């Protein structure tokens, strides 16, 4: 079945450091790919998404490119801030008749940014 | 903006008691999802509805779990009887047909003693 694998955490960085969180996927069809972020005590918020190969999702300085050839969707940010400290989830959803199905999540990567 | 209200936010109960979690979408959607989050298993889909009809309940752990969606504005997840291993955060999410994106509620943290 479909699955998502993302790098184990926790990841600890200093403010203004470069961030990469790796994510690879296995899917039978042509899924949409997502990054969600979960701040302490809160629900998941969509950070960015890409719906087809070579699409780049971006939001709040974060970027990820849908790479079909490597089945990857790595999350990057050039300069992290303390406020970026959270748990980041990579996810995929198969598309059924043009509509999104349920999300399949990776285990999550906890990011801590120190001042 | 899409949004979801969940209640209660926190629930502490004793083993054997019935627990009912509630989800109220506050904007347009065509699908509603229930997920469970634990340290050991991460985020897992329990069940999802499309146009109020259950489509996939293969993630429901066992017969102790049941979910209903009597109308487009309300869904419940019931555990009867509850067990300590049911302790988790339960999330409700809706799929917006306008953005084709799932929006999550704040979750219900359930502790079964």
């Amino acid at each position: 079945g479909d699955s998502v694998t993302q790098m184990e955490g926790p990841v600890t960085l200093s403010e203004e450091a470069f961030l990469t969180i790796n994510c690879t996927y296995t899917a039978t069809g042509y899924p949409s790919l997502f990054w969600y972020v979960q701040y302490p005590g809160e629900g998941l918020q969509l950070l960015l998404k890409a719906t087809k190969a070579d699409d780049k999702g971006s939001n709040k300085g974060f970027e990820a490119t849908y790479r079909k050839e490597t089945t990857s969707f790595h999350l990057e940010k050039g300069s992290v801030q303390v406020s970026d400290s959270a748990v980041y989830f990579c996810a995929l959803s198969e598309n059924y008749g043009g509509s999104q199905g349920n999300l399949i999540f990776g285990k999550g990567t906890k990011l801590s940014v120190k001042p | 903006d899409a949004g979801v209200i969940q209640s209660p936010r926190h629930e502490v109960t004793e083993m054997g008691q019935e627990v009912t979690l509630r989800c109220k979408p506050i904007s347009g959607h065509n699908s509603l999802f229930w997920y469970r989050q634990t340290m050991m298993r991460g985020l897992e889909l329990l069940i999802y509805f499309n146009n109020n009809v259950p489509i996939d309940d293969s993630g429901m752990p066992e017969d102790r779990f049941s979910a209903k969606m009597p109308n487009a504005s309300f869904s419940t997840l019931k555990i009867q009887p509850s067990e300590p291993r049911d302790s988790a955060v339960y999330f409700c999410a809706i799929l917006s047909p306008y953005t084709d994106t799932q929006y999550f509620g704040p979750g219900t943290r359930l502790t079964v003693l």
Side-chain angles (χ1 to χ4, degrees):
Chain A
D2 294 359
S3 65
V4 174
T5 303
Q6 61 182 104
M7 62 187 287
E8 296 280 334
V11 174
T12 302
L13 297 173
S14 297
E15 207 164 23
E16 299 184 3
F18 183 85
L19 169 72
T20 299
I21 300 178
N22 290 337
C23 171
T24 56
Y25 68 90
T26 302
T28 53
Y30 301 92
S32 295
L33 302 175
F34 305 82
W35 278 100
Y36 278 82
V37 58
Q38 184 178 31
Y39 298 101
E42 298 185 11
L44 280 74
Q45 301 174 25
L46 178 67
L47 181 60
L48 54 83
K49 70 176 185 180
T51 57
K52 61 182 187 299
D54 299 325
D55 271 1
K56 177 186 283 188
S58 61
N59 185 26
K60 300 180 181 179
F62 290 89
E63 293 183 340
T65 301
Y66 190 142
R67 300 286 188 200
K68 190 170 186 295
E69 63 276 14
T70 55
T71 61
S72 66
F73 193 55
H74 305 321
L75 182 68
E76 296 183 336
K77 186 175 186 181
S79 176
V80 294
Q81 306 300 312
V82 173
S83 57
D84 294 326
S85 298
V87 181
Y88 292 81
F89 293 92
C90 185
L92 71 79
S93 176
E94 293 280 13
N95 297 305
Y96 301 105
S99 184
Q100 189 191 119
N102 61 289
L103 288 165
I104 296 170
F105 288 92
K107 295 288 190 185
T109 302
K110 184 176 182 179
L111 170 66
S112 296
V113 181
K114 307 297 185 185
Chain B
D1 286 343
V4 179
I5 297 173
Q6 289 188 249
S7 63
R9 292 294 310 275
H10 302 273
E11 177 80 26
V12 180
T13 191
E14 293 188 346
M15 182 174 64
Q17 297 298 305
E18 177 180 300
V19 175
T20 300
L21 310 182
R22 296 174 176 79
C23 174
K24 182 177 172 57
I26 55 175
S27 57
H29 66 91
N30 51 10
S31 298
L32 183 144
F33 304 79
W34 282 99
Y35 293 91
R36 178 172 68 176
Q37 184 179 35
T38 62
M39 289 293 292
M40 291 297 295
R41 300 174 66 89
L43 275 156
E44 304 173 287
L45 176 73
L46 298 176
I47 185 172
Y48 84 92
F49 297 83
N50 193 38
N51 294 323
N52 311 339
V53 176
I55 300 300
D56 182 358
D57 65 354
S58 59
M60 296 286 263
E62 47 199 91
D63 292 346
R64 298 185 297 107
F65 284 68
S66 62
K68 294 183 179 179
M69 191 166 184
N71 57 64
S73 301
F74 188 64
S75 177
T76 59
L77 178 67
K78 183 179 293 186
I79 308 172
Q80 165 66 22
S82 58
E83 296 183 3
R85 60 190 167 126
D86 302 330
S87 298
V89 181
Y90 292 80
F91 290 103
C92 177
I94 59 169
L95 177 64
S96 167
Y98 310 111
T99 61
D100 201 28
T101 296
Q102 287 192 31
Y103 296 92
F104 283 72
T108 295
R109 181 174 294 277
L110 172 65
T111 302
V112 183
L113 303 175

